[in-house]
Amino acid sequence: DVQLVESGGNLIQPGGSLRLSCVDSGFTFSGYSMNWVRQAPGKGLEWVSHISSSGTTYYADSVKGRFTTSRDNAKNSLFLQMNSLRAEDTGVYYCARDSSCGTYRYSCFDSWGQGTLVTVSS
Amino acid sequence: AIQMTQSPSSLSASVGDRVTITCRASQDVGNDLGWYQQKPGKAPKLLIFAASSLQSGVPSRFSGGGSGTDFTLTISSLQPEDFATYYCLQDYNYPFTFGPGTKVDIK
């Protein structure tokens, strides 16, 4: 079974930096695109970033220039480096595997971690 | 960025009811739309991809429809375990965007 485990969430002051990790077990990590999705307390889901199997990245406008997604396929790991953190970055951060479902390989987030909480506050 | 809206934002329904949730995109996204279910304190779960394809293991009472800008998620006979919040996600182009969610609770 696929298992994604996030870590690295913490209480951090505004303007600070934090690095989240997501480690997979149970699937061929290197062959999949991965995403970060976050959820502010009591709010809806917000897509944050995508990294393809080859390392191409895309970001939400709200984090572009501040967040960097990377991966280490040898360690089956996904990372989210978050700089210049703001109060509005507070929330639970999920990593999600994109399995490219169906004949035409549609995007589909079919496996998710349990989430890690980031709190940005002074 | 493509904006997604959902209606209603919440609804109350009874077990056995037929429930339909609508998602609208601000521009044509083809069939590049998924539906996700989230229960409190849990990670989201994929229900539907490519607008109408049922994810493996998801009960057949869930169905998706639509294309272009207007999409629906239908639960044919609501079950107790279906009370949750439902989100659409456009994956047509980056940045991907979720709808604001529809909370389904017990009448």
Side-chain angles (χ1 to χ4, degrees), chain A residues 30-72:
Chain A
S30 61
Y32 291 86
S33 295
M34 298 294 294
N35 295 267
W36 288 100
V37 174
R38 69 183 180 184
Q39 186 167 38
K43 303 297 183 182
L45 301 173
E46 181 185 13
W47 176 83
V48 172
S49 71
H50 165 100
I51 185 166
S52 71
S53 57
S54 60
T56 300
T57 55
Y58 300 92
Y59 298 94
D61 292 343
S62 59
V63 307
K64 197 175 296 182
R66 299 188 299 122
F67 289 12
T68 302
T69 294
S70 61
R71 62 192 299 161
D72 183 341

Side-chain angles (χ1 to χ4, degrees), chain A residues 87-106:
Chain A
E88 54 265 35
D89 296 318
T90 293
V92 175
Y93 284 71
Y94 297 98
C95 62
R97 182 182 78 169
D98 186 343
S99 287
S100 299
C101 298
T103 303
Y104 299 103
R105 301 180 63 76
Y106 286 94

Side-chain angles (χ1 to χ4, degrees), chain A residues 8-12 16-20 80-83 85 117-119:
Chain A
N10 211 333
L11 171 64
I12 188 80
S17 297
L18 204 59
R19 190 192 198 207
L20 305 184
L80 183 65
Q81 177 66 43
M82 303 186 295
N83 299 331
L85 282 161
L117 177 62
V118 173
T119 303

Side-chain angles (χ1 to χ4, degrees), chain B residues 6-98:
Chain B
Q6 286 182 233
S7 61
S9 56
S10 65
L11 66 91
S12 295
S14 300
V15 172
D17 284 353
R18 181 181 182 88
V19 168
T20 298
I21 298 167
T22 298
C23 175
R24 177 164 290 175
S26 62
Q27 66 185 70
D28 191 334
V29 299
N31 288 332
D32 292 320
L33 185 112
W35 288 96
Y36 295 80
Q37 176 194 66
Q38 187 181 33
K39 297 180 180 179
K42 301 295 186 182
K45 173 187 174 183
L46 173 67
L47 300 176
I48 301 283
F49 65 92
S52 60
S53 295
L54 191 68
Q55 170 68 352
S56 176
V58 173
S60 59
R61 63 181 180 272
F62 290 93
S63 64
S67 66
T69 60
D70 294 305
F71 301 88
T72 57
L73 173 70
T74 298
I75 309 172
S76 60
S77 178
L78 200 65
Q79 298 301 300
E81 59 268 31
D82 300 337
F83 292 97
T85 300
Y86 294 85
Y87 297 91
C88 59
L89 169 68
Q90 72 81 15
D91 47 75
Y92 178 75
N93 64 14
Y94 296 102
F96 288 175
T97 40
F98 283 95

